[in-house]
Amino acid sequence: MAEKISGGCQCGAVRYECSEGPIVAGHCQCTNCQKFSGTGHATNMMLPKDAFTVTGEMTRYEYTADSGNTMTRFFCSKCGSPVYGASSGNPAGVMIRVGGLDDPAIFEANFSLFSDSAQSWDHIDPSIKSFPGMPPKPAD
Ligand SMILES: [Zn+2]
Ligand SMILES: [Zn+2]
């Protein structure tokens, strides 16, 4: 996998870089990801926060996840593309959407989450390990 990861929003106002590779990567079919993505699932990559830098003006949105953690999502203020998300439950990582990468082809899924809330038309590669909800603990 690529050593240095870079990407940004659709309009180019927000750019990010990460000097280290992903911690984990996968699909999520939870109802929040359906809303935030506007489709059946989000495809995410978790990057080490210490190695992640971002520039450009973003709008933030905070909400409480089912886990009780505070989730903060950052969007480009101009074009609205999701840039990254952070969870109070995981201060060491940031979650980016794979579609924003300069080279989305580097993505390799480790798992797929929340198959219980998946839409019948939203199919994930069946060879990817799938969980009905969050994976059992130390998986993340
Ligand atoms: Zn933008
Ligand atoms: Zn989700």
Side-chain angles (χ1 to χ4, degrees), residues 109-130:
N110 301 116
F111 48 66
S112 179
L113 305 179
F114 287 93
S115 60
D116 268 3
S117 52
Q119 299 303 319
S120 60
W121 43 261
D122 186 46
H123 299 290
I124 300 280
D125 179 350
S127 70
I128 297 169
K129 185 160 44 161
S130 164

